[in-house]
Amino acid sequence: MNYVKTMVAGVLFGAVAIASAAPVSITLPQETAQLKPSTHPGYVVATQMCAICHSADYINQQPGKMTLTQWTAEVAKMQHAYGAPLSDDQVKQIGEYLAITYGSEKPAAAP
């Protein structure tokens, strides 16, 4: 019987604690990280789309000298595994921009 009283008291105390809890509010600091500027069309797409889910710091923290294949796979993972609203063409453009700007790819020679 004491077990039941203890259990009921615990449930009632928990309900009172939940009912009286104030909402939690968090103020995040202003974003300061930025992608490295580029004339590559993928730069514009990346600045518009990548920041929907994460800061540019996430890109800066990736291993250096990743290849075009590796960067494109990372962006495709964002599209398929995490649901990033990217078209296949945008995945390709962002992958190219990241591989050239942060990775091991060299920009294509001007015609």
Side-chain angles (χ1 to χ4, degrees):
M1 190 67 160
N2 283 340
Y3 173 75
V4 173
K5 288 181 183 178
T6 303
M7 193 74 160
V8 170
V11 170
L12 290 175
F13 177 74
V16 170
I18 291 171
S20 65
V24 176
S25 176
I26 304 171
T27 302
L28 297 175
Q30 184 70 27
E31 178 64 62
T32 58
Q34 295 181 355
L35 295 175
K36 294 177 185 176
S38 172
T39 58
H40 191 283
Y43 169 68
V44 174
V45 178
T47 56
Q48 293 171 344
M49 302 304 290
C50 297
I52 292 172
C53 298
H54 59 78
S55 75
D57 282 330
Y58 183 78
I59 294 166
N60 291 323
Q61 294 171 355
Q62 299 306 307
K65 302 301 176 196
M66 287 171 52
T67 65
L68 174 60
T69 301
Q70 291 169 314
W71 272 115
T72 304
E74 283 298 307
V75 179
K77 178 175 70 176
M78 300 297 156
Q79 178 193 36
H80 297 292
Y82 299 112
L86 299 170
S87 69
D88 291 340
D89 188 51
Q90 289 173 319
V91 168
K92 181 180 178 229
Q93 287 180 341
I94 294 170
E96 288 174 359
Y97 159 71
L98 294 172
I100 292 167
T101 308
Y102 295 90
S104 61
E105 292 297 312
K106 303 292 181 227

